Amino acid sequence: MYMLLIFPVVLLFLSSLTFFSKRKADRAHLGRLLHFMLFAALMLPWALIVFSLFRGNLENFSMNASPLANTADLWLLSCQAMLALVLLLVRAKVESPEAWFKAFVSAMLGILFLVLSLHPVLGLPFAIDSREAAVVSAVSFIVGLFLLFGLPPLQLGVIDLGSEKNASLHVFLNVSLRYCLGFVILFTLGFNNWVQDIEALSFLIAGAIFLGVGLTRIVLRLQTNLFRMLSYLTSGLALSLALQLLFAEYGELFFFAQVLGLIPIVAILNERSPDASGGLDLQNWANFRRFNGEAAERLHMGLRLFLYLEVGVSLATAVGLAMKGHFLVALTALFAGFCAFVVTRDKHAFAPRLAA
Amino acid sequence: MKGLLNIGEILGAIVSSKMTGDVRAHAGWILKFALVLTGFAYLALRS
């Protein structure tokens, strides 16, 4: 229940950070109206969940009676409307139509896969009770997550937008949108019996997420563009969904801890850049370090904290899984933790690589 | 009006398959990934 109270506050925080952005090197701010519309689109799922709760379903508020079931169409529409609005509104600001189109394909297919799997009424495990339904549902959940959270090998749709110039846009696409989706998924997982319906496959889903997040950490340290790095970093929010599948409740806690860890990183990325930059591309790590030495140091520290949190949770999950006897999934969790740890120890991370 | 024009432009691009290479390859990856995962999921459920 506390998720419902915290969600709008944290989103307000994230949103206000982009609203008061002072980066002069960016072409321009998002307009005030556009900004407000993006924020309203991201608040839609929360508003609809609260609306459905106050419609008189409070007495059935338990694990097996989803308060969303009565307003399932609204759930579906709010998710799709949110994505479509965000993507259509930002289209005017994006320079490369092909990159945007690829992101659009990723988002739309991702949400369709997610609806097929998780929608309180249309979702396959709720509509059909068979082994095949469980398999298709688990697979669509994984594919949907990989597309929406930009996990390899399906990350390209989202990552291609990384070279765009508008910082506020990146925060909306990479942080707020994923936070919002994570909230909707965690809420739906918490208030219906989806996990029990596909219990045998929940380990496969968690394992796939751990492997995907581990792969993002391997490529994270090679990024020289700040916003591509941000995109790969926020892919880690998918980890809390895996945790929620394995150990309910802990996923939600970890999710909020991760978002709190992201706030300083987003704040630093929004800082004022010096006028002395001489028109250089400040989205590049090397230039950012040169002109914003202190901010770059703090950004590194924020990144390390975020990643150490991930390492700790991955290792704890691996131990918990090993104690339960699921050694293969424990190994994937260990892999995710190890990959995140390597990034924190790499002294040459985010530095430009010289061609051999 | 601008939004409508945008949507028209997107639909036009899809119909005339102007944006082929990259987007089509991306969709191909998604399909292959889903197929391989389905195989794994069946195996996991059987064992």
Side-chain angles (χ1 to χ4, degrees):
Chain A
M1 194 62 183
Y2 65 93
M3 275 184 80
L4 284 180
L5 302 173
I6 301 173
F7 171 78
V9 179
V10 179
L11 191 59
L12 196 68
F13 251 119
L14 288 173
S15 227
S16 60
L17 283 174
T18 62
F19 196 63
F20 295 111
S21 163
K22 286 173 185 152
R23 286 190 64 138
K24 284 183 181 168
D26 293 333
R27 270 181 312 171
H29 258 259
L30 292 178
R32 267 163 211 272
L33 183 68
L34 187 61
H35 204 284
F36 179 74
M37 283 176 82
L38 284 170
F39 179 64
L42 291 169
M43 288 294 277
L44 253 180
W46 177 78
L48 285 170
I49 285 167
V50 171
F51 171 72
S52 69
L53 284 178
F54 282 101
R55 232 169 143 205
N57 224 344
L58 273 172
E59 64 271 19
N60 289 333
F61 205 78
S62 66
M63 280 298 280
N64 289 325
S66 165
L68 293 172
N70 286 347
T71 42
D73 288 335
L74 289 179
W75 184 92
L76 170 75
L77 288 173
S78 73
C79 280
Q80 286 181 340
M82 173 190 78
L83 264 172
L85 259 175
V86 171
L87 282 165
L88 277 176
L89 284 174
V90 300
R91 178 163 159 71
K93 300 278 174 189
V94 168
E95 271 171 5
S96 152
E98 184 136 4
W100 180 86
F101 190 57
K102 227 162 137 185
F104 183 78
V105 168
S106 279
M108 282 299 134
L109 281 180
I111 206 79
L112 281 177
F113 275 117
L114 209 60
V115 165
L116 180 70
S117 169
L118 209 60
H119 184 274
V121 174
L122 295 176
L124 270 181
F126 309 120
I128 310 166
D129 186 24
S130 72
R131 270 172 54 167
E132 286 73 19
V135 167
V136 174
S137 175
V139 169
S140 13
F141 185 72
I142 297 173
V143 177
L145 270 194
F146 270 57
L147 283 171
L148 293 169
F149 284 82
L151 298 171
L154 305 183
Q155 84 282 28
L156 286 176
V158 192
I159 296 297
D160 274 12
L161 286 179
S163 53
E164 298 305 333
K165 295 277 187 290
N166 199 311
S168 314
L169 200 70
H170 284 291
V171 174
F172 262 116
L173 280 170
N174 293 328
V175 186
S176 306
L177 196 60
R178 282 180 189 169
Y179 170 62
C180 192
L181 277 166
F183 165 77
V184 172
I185 296 170
L186 277 178
F187 184 84
T188 318
L189 285 182
F191 289 101
N192 61 32
N193 45 6
W194 188 83
V195 185
Q196 286 91 320
D197 281 345
I198 59 154
E199 200 168 11
L201 290 166
S202 61
F203 292 106
L204 177 86
I205 298 174
I209 294 175
F210 282 128
L211 282 181
V213 173
L215 288 175
T216 60
R217 296 309 174 238
I218 289 176
V219 283
L220 175 70
R221 48 190 264 275
L222 304 175
Q223 300 308 311
T224 50
N225 179 311
L226 282 174
F227 292 104
R228 275 181 192 231
M229 177 215 76
L230 183 69
S231 181
Y232 276 118
L233 195 71
T234 49
S235 299
L237 289 178
L239 217 55
S240 56
L241 303 177
L243 206 62
Q244 179 78 6
L245 285 175
L246 297 171
F247 309 101
E249 297 292 320
Y250 287 104
E252 290 175 16
L253 285 174
F254 181 49
F255 184 64
F256 284 117
Q258 272 188 316
V259 178
L260 288 181
L262 271 177
I263 285 179
I265 295 172
V266 173
I268 291 165
L269 286 179
N270 273 327
E271 271 185 10
R272 185 196 294 271
S273 52
D275 296 331
S277 60
L280 281 171
D281 182 13
L282 280 179
Q283 292 194 10
N284 187 297
W285 254 106
N287 286 337
F288 187 69
R289 265 201 209 105
R290 209 166 122 205
F291 292 104
N292 281 331
E294 199 189 327
E297 269 305 307
R298 277 188 287 142
L299 187 61
H300 245 303
M301 204 184 282
L303 276 173
R304 276 202 203 107
L305 269 180
F306 186 85
L307 289 169
Y308 275 131
L309 180 72
E310 229 177 76
V311 174
V313 170
S314 299
L315 292 183
T317 313
V319 172
L321 282 167
M323 279 165 73
K324 279 184 176 178
H326 302 291
F327 293 107
L328 208 60
V329 195
L331 214 61
T332 57
L334 210 62
F335 171 72
F338 178 70
C339 291
F341 185 67
V342 167
V343 183
T344 59
R345 304 306 301 165
D346 185 4
K347 285 197 177 116
H348 302 291
F350 314 116
R353 264 36 178 193
L354 294 174
Chain B
M1 194 61 205
K2 203 176 167 191
L4 278 180
L5 282 175
N6 269 338
I7 296 171
E9 200 182 303
I10 296 162
L11 290 178
I14 298 169
V15 173
S16 65
S17 53
K18 221 194 258 175
M19 295 174 182
T20 46
D22 249 13
V23 179
R24 204 175 278 180
H26 185 52
W29 265 110
I30 297 169
L31 193 68
K32 280 174 213 159
F33 186 66
L35 281 176
V36 171
L37 264 182
T38 312
F40 273 122
Y42 260 113
L43 286 178
L45 204 63
R46 274 182 132 194
S47 63

